[in-house]
Each structure stands twice: as structure tokens, then as C-alpha cells.
Amino acid sequence: MTGVPVVLLHALSLHAGMWREPADALRARGHSVLAVDQRGFGTTALGTADPSLDVVADDLARTLDDNGVDRAVLVGSSVGGYTAMAFLRRHPDRVAGLALLAARATADSPEAAARRHRFADLVQQEEPRRQLLAQTTPMLVGATTRATRPEVLARVLADVEAADPAALAWAQRAIAARPDSTDVLRTARVPALVIAGTEDELVAAPESRHVADTLPYGRLVTVPDAGHLPPLETPGAVTDALHAFLTEIGAPAW
């Protein structure tokens, strides 16, 4: 792979396929794109490591090595954003740019962490898992998507239900244990973009604004009619925002 590639990191419960439409559109516009399945999802095995986003970040470093990539622009959605922050902390010289979607800079509160651990416990039990996923999955998309784009919600539900319960539990515990990344973002002297859906019910607008304001070169773009998963809900708007961002910073350098 040549140039400075764009690495797409998926949201919790999903896989690299969530980026299909933006990835294809960015490639058509001349960008070098690598969409990655994170540990336990898609084609990537869960393994035996203890839950930690540092483990996922180091997985990503090895993936870049395997593809002959030294530095990349990281684009992370939800847990993909947390992976990008962990990577920035552990491998800062390998980040050429950063785009974060639906990810907060702060650590979980004790209450939020407890909810994640409760989710991890329940998702590994067959009957509670069905009820839990039915209750929580619709919150991943916005009200407009639920009302007018039912096929998107159906796609998300299918992917969530197909995910390995052990991987879901592992990832929730890893997210619950993540540190506050405000200090890491504050020292990230790289071009940065924050994309927020106006209907995100999981990451509030002030939290996205905080991320953008913390990044020295951060800029916030809000996407109408999208919730927690803009790459799936409004792929055209996300593609346009990423293309403009990548063009400004000159990635890739063919």
C-alpha cells in the first residue's frame, strides 16, 4: 500500500463492513483506504488477552506493519474512536491525522462503567442477550433513521445479533477500563476532525464539542438526521466531510 492511507475503525458490535459506502466513495475519489476488523469482530479472532483498548491499539500497529504502512490518518467511530485515542497514546508518531465520530474524550463515570460490566455479563446469556440487544440496538441510530430508513436499523440489528457474545463482553469491559484521553488529545499536533450526528442519543453534543475544542487543530462537523452511526445512516455526508478533510491535509500522497 502506497501513500498515507486512511484507516477506518468500526463501532462496537459491528465490523469493517459498516464503512462500505464511505470507503468505496473515498477510494473512488482517489484516497487509499484500509477498513479494519477490530479484535473479536468480523474476520479477526478475539484471542485470549485481557480486555484492554491498548491491546486493540497494538493490534492496529501490527496491521499497519503487515500492510507496509508507517503513518496513517485514523478515522474511528464509537469504540473505533477510543481505539484511535489509545493508538495515539501508544504510537503517536504513526498518526498523520485524526477523525473521531461519536466518541467522548473522557473516561466512563463509575455508573457508566458499571452499566458496561452489566451488559458484558448479560450479553453472554442467551435469553437475556436477546432482550438486551432488542432494547439497546435501536439507540445506535437516530430518530430519523428509525422512522424513515428502517433498512439501516435492520442492517445494524443483523450485525449486532451476529456478533460473538464473548467479543461484545470483552469490548465493553475494555471500553469501561479506558482512561481519560483529554491530555492525549490536547497534545495531538495533527489535523483533526470531529463528526457528530445531531440525533446521537449516546454521545451528547457538548461531548463532541469538548473533543473538537480539546484537539489543537480540531474542527467539528455536525451531520443532520444521523444518530450514533453516521457512516451507516448518512454515508454521503460522512464521505463529503472526510474527503474535504483529507484533501485539506493532502492525504494520500501518491
Side-chain angles (χ1 to χ4, degrees), residues 96-143:
L98 187 66
L100 301 172
L101 299 83
R104 55 178 63 88
T106 53
D108 277 354
S109 67
E111 295 78 14
R115 287 194 294 271
R116 291 192 191 278
H117 283 286
R118 178 65 173 162
F119 184 106
D121 292 340
L122 292 175
V123 80
Q124 296 183 90
Q125 305 172 46
E126 185 172 352
E127 185 57 34
R129 177 172 66 251
R130 285 198 292 266
Q131 297 177 10
L132 180 66
L133 297 183
Q135 292 169 357
T136 59
T137 303
M139 296 174 63
L140 293 175
V141 300

Side-chain angles (χ1 to χ4, degrees), residues 158-212:
D159 283 343
V160 170
E161 290 172 352
D164 177 8
L168 292 173
W170 192 97
Q172 284 283 24
R173 294 186 175 112
I175 299 167
R178 77 189 189 283
D180 189 300
S181 291
T182 302
D183 58 338
V184 175
L185 298 182
R186 188 173 288 128
T187 59
R189 317 286 302 178
V190 297
L193 177 69
V194 176
I195 299 176
T198 57
E199 299 177 3
D200 192 336
E201 298 173 14
L202 301 179
V203 176
E207 294 174 307
S208 294
R209 169 55 66 186
H210 170 67
V211 174

Side-chain angles (χ1 to χ4, degrees), residues 2-43:
T2 59
V4 182
V6 182
V7 176
L8 305 177
L9 302 168
H10 62 80
L12 180 64
S13 308
L14 305 181
H15 51 78
M18 72 163 279
W19 286 104
R20 184 176 65 241
E21 288 88 349
D24 288 348
L26 288 171
R27 292 185 185 107
R29 298 186 190 188
H31 301 288
S32 176
V33 178
L34 176 64
V36 175
D37 283 328
Q38 296 174 87
R39 177 175 287 251
F41 297 95
T43 61

